[in-house]
Amino acid sequence: MLVKKNFKKNISKKKEKKSKEILLQNPRGMRDILPEEQNYWDQIRKVLEQSYRDYGFGRMDLPILEYSDLLIRSIGEGTDIVDKEMYSFVTKGGDKLSLRPEFTAGLARAYLQHGMNVRHKPVKIFSMGAVYRYDRPQEGRYRELYQANFDIFGEQDAVMDAHIIQLASRILAALDIKKVQFQINSIGCPVCRKNYLNLLKKYFESKKNKLCQTCRKRIHTNPLRILDCKEDKCSQVAAQAPQILDHLCDDCRLHFRSLLEYLEELEIFYVINPRLVRGLSYYTKTVFEIWPIGEEGKKYSLGGGGRYDNLVELLGGEKTPAIGFALGLDRVVAEMKKIKAKAYVFPIPKVFLAQLGDLAKKKSLKLFSDLEKNGVLVAESFGRGSLKSQLRIANRLKAEITIIMGQKEALDGTVIMKNMATGTQETLVVNEKLPFIIKKALKNNGKVIKK
Ligand code: HAM
């Protein structure tokens, strides 16, 4: 009986231990971005905020969930995202929803839903946030990843394609990432692509035995994707495949040629890659990816995008040409770390606020916000009681001035201002002038300027 009881106890202990282990783990492919890593993210956010405004974009925040049908229809069956990577579920009410695997489908939906097609064109939208893809996690590949997404609706001229590449290049340069190349291709329009796909199918059919299992299926579902399959044997077959650039219709060929001319004018480093097809089926004409120079073998893109002239129409709107791109921010941060790019520098408080006693603690809480509202950055340690330990913290933080409020000062409505370099102290009245006196003192090596 006792043995049985102990056995049960052990099992429940084991179970408890296991559930604890699971609770303390973030889901696979997802991670926490700690405060000490935020200086790179803040730098990115700063550059993005500036860039989207400079380039005339409006920001839009979209729900993290979309109807699965919208995503399937937009991104396309036969793509890895739709076939394998969506986090989809049915709600209690029976709705089929998915975590967004990208922004463009949701943006096209919102563009139509909010009647944005009547706005002055082009309509430029910026979005930023997490997207979700159930892929096999590895270096630079996450299941929760962050994208900065730029899309332009209502302009078909190739100058917009160049403009969006110019923007991507400008953002990366502002983040110190200058060694990048734009891999560029045109995948034509539905008219010229149809003929090309027939040719491609025939070619791959004749080499079927040399392809991987997945690509054999792709011959019928998505033959374009065979062109950028990472398997060696498929790559060899793809190298000899007919190239779409030789089969573009006049309109698509002209569009591509103009884009290249614009890029040359902008002196943007590009490489024509006839096997670049991208993993989303809404693209037409221009497609591009941004690769760090030296990492070409890894096919590790910092961002990618292209034109999608038929998506809005596919979703029930009028024909609306569009182009956009997304930067993969996790990879951008990794690249910034690798090249030791400039990170955001947080302003460091030069003033420390110390307090002693209950009344002083209460009053210094209010003083903290009065100082902060008037532009005086203040460090504090409200939880500490002893003045000695607070002054030690002030020293460690290299505060230039410590404002001390003890019991007596709290009752008198004053504070002591201590110059941390010289140790000199002065008593000041707590009133609306105090923040300005402190600011002046900071400029004057911690000394109060007497009127
Ligand atoms: P995408 O190429 O699928 O395009 O993703 C854009 C970028 O997101 C990639 O270049 C990469 O940096 C990053 N990324 C993608 N998957 C992962 C992952 N599993 N882990 C880490 N980073 C990743 C799109 O999403 C299109 N919606 C872009 C677009 C906007 N096209 C037109 N407008």
Side-chain angles (χ1 to χ4, degrees):
M1 195 60 178
L2 189 69
V3 175
K4 210 174 176 183
K5 230 181 176 179
N6 278 343
F7 178 70
K8 269 192 176 171
K9 228 178 172 179
N10 278 343
I11 295 244
S12 71
K13 263 192 185 165
K14 266 188 192 162
K15 264 190 188 165
E16 202 181 305
K17 196 169 168 223
K18 199 162 183 206
S19 71
K20 265 192 191 151
E21 275 168 13
I22 290 168
L23 277 176
L24 293 179
Q25 192 75 48
N26 33 13
R28 215 160 104 76
M30 305 191 182
R31 68 213 197 288
D32 308 307
I33 302 168
L34 301 179
E36 47 273 29
E37 290 173 72
Q38 293 292 339
N39 49 359
Y40 284 107
W41 291 88
D42 276 328
Q43 181 69 6
I44 290 180
R45 285 187 272 263
K46 189 178 110 186
V47 167
L48 287 170
E49 294 265 331
Q50 183 73 45
S51 314
Y52 90 72
R53 294 208 176 99
D54 288 355
Y55 275 66
F57 281 73
R59 179 168 179 159
M60 227 164 124
D61 293 313
L62 302 172
I64 235 162
L65 293 166
E66 292 285 351
Y67 283 109
S68 303
D69 281 348
L70 170 90
L71 300 168
I72 296 170
R73 175 89 76 98
S74 311
I75 298 165
E77 269 165 324
T79 60
D80 283 352
I81 294 182
V82 164
D83 292 359
K84 294 191 262 178
E85 296 173 4
M86 291 225 292
Y87 282 86
S88 302
F89 62 98
V90 181
T91 66
K92 286 177 189 158
D95 290 334
K96 289 183 186 155
L97 301 182
S98 300
L99 285 172
R100 62 184 180 203
E102 57 113 43
F103 281 96
T104 309
L107 269 174
R109 188 259 313 137
Y111 176 84
L112 285 171
Q113 183 179 336
H114 302 290
M116 292 168 89
N117 50 329
V118 299
R119 294 190 185 190
H120 181 70
K121 301 227 181 39
V123 177
K124 298 176 166 185
I125 315 278
F126 163 70
S127 283
M128 184 163 69
V131 303
Y132 298 84
R133 295 184 185 179
Y134 191 82
D135 201 352
R136 196 166 57 83
Q138 50 186 285
E139 194 203 338
R141 180 161 299 152
Y142 303 103
R143 289 181 172 173
E144 180 183 58
L145 57 129
Y146 292 86
Q147 284 189 343
N149 189 88
F150 294 82
D151 278 300
I152 302 179
F153 295 92
E155 186 59 75
Q156 65 182 10
D157 197 304
V159 73
M160 267 306 153
D161 308 32
H163 189 49
I164 208 108
I165 288 174
Q166 178 184 31
L167 168 59
S169 162
R170 142 85 154 85
I171 293 170
L172 291 172
L175 294 170
D176 289 344
I177 304 177
K178 292 177 183 145
K179 287 189 176 168
V180 289
Q181 52 174 282
F182 284 82
Q183 293 268 324
I184 299 197
N185 193 19
S186 171
I187 54 167
C189 62
V191 179
C192 54
R193 203 184 314 153
K194 197 172 167 203
N195 299 332
Y196 173 68
L197 286 181
N198 284 336
L199 267 177
L200 205 56
K201 274 183 195 168
K202 256 190 217 151
Y203 171 76
F204 285 129
E205 197 65 60
S206 72
K207 310 276 176 196
K208 199 172 176 172
N209 295 338
K210 295 184 178 160
L211 296 175
C212 71
Q213 285 299 333
T214 318
C215 283
R216 283 183 201 180
K217 281 187 213 141
R218 282 179 174 151
I219 297 178
H220 307 288
T221 55
N222 195 352
L224 275 182
R225 284 304 285 182
I226 307 176
L227 292 175
D228 72 352
C229 175
K230 290 177 185 75
E231 292 271 339
D232 251 5
K233 51 184 182 180
C234 302
S235 210
Q236 279 168 27
V237 176
Q240 307 301 321
Q243 296 192 353
I244 181 127
L245 292 177
D246 298 329
H247 299 275
L248 294 178
C249 61
D250 288 348
D251 182 37
C252 291
R253 194 176 323 111
L254 256 175
H255 188 96
F256 192 55
R257 197 194 298 154
S258 318
L259 167 62
L260 301 186
E261 280 169 15
Y262 288 123
L263 292 181
E264 263 147 44
E265 186 65 31
L266 289 169
E267 294 181 12
I268 286 179
F269 178 38
Y270 69 84
V271 173
I272 298 175
N273 179 350
R275 283 167 58 189
L276 184 80
V277 293
R278 311 267 303 129
L280 304 107
S281 68
Y282 50 60
Y283 289 118
T284 49
K285 294 185 177 162
T286 309
V287 286
F288 66 92
E289 280 185 2
I290 308 160
W291 292 4
I293 293 174
E295 309 262 342
E296 295 85 345
K298 276 200 199 165
K299 294 206 173 167
Y300 181 91
S301 63
L302 298 175
R307 185 163 271 288
Y308 49 99
D309 290 345
N310 300 324
L311 179 59
V312 172
E313 194 180 16
L314 181 83
L315 298 180
E318 64 205 10
K319 190 156 173 59
T320 308
I323 178 144
F325 77 101
L327 284 177
L329 300 184
D330 313 79
R331 292 182 186 178
V332 170
V333 166
E335 187 66 15
M336 286 173 78
K337 284 185 184 167
K338 200 176 106 194
I339 62 167
K340 300 193 170 51
K342 192 174 86 201
Y344 187 80
V345 182
F346 288 92
I348 300 166
K350 292 180 182 155
V351 178
F352 189 87
L353 179 57
Q355 34 71 40
L356 199 63
D358 287 345
L359 183 64
K361 193 183 283 189
K362 249 184 235 164
K363 293 213 162 181
S364 56
L365 204 57
K366 165 88 170 45
L367 179 59
F368 177 90
S369 87
D370 289 344
L371 292 176
E372 168 268 313
K373 273 189 240 162
N374 284 292
V376 182
L377 265 186
V378 186
E380 48 62 46
S381 185
F382 290 137
R384 303 273 166 135
S386 119
L387 186 61
K388 208 171 154 194
S389 72
Q390 292 182 69
L391 287 176
R392 214 178 298 132
I393 297 172
N395 270 322
R396 202 188 66 221
L397 296 176
K398 297 193 175 70
E400 290 176 21
I401 288 172
T402 296
I403 304 290
I404 305 165
M405 191 189 279
Q407 195 69 12
K408 179 179 176 302
E409 288 77 25
L411 289 168
D412 290 354
T414 58
V415 285
I416 296 168
M417 186 172 92
K418 182 179 163 88
N419 181 324
M420 298 299 281
T422 61
T424 51
Q425 299 193 162
E426 296 180 63
T427 300
L428 300 172
V429 179
V430 178
N431 58 20
E432 69 283 356
K433 287 189 191 144
L434 184 63
F436 304 98
I437 295 175
I438 295 174
K439 271 195 214 172
K440 271 195 183 163
L442 280 174
K443 280 191 196 147
N444 194 34
N445 292 330
K447 280 184 225 130
V448 174
I449 303 156
K450 298 258 173 354
K451 279 187 209 150

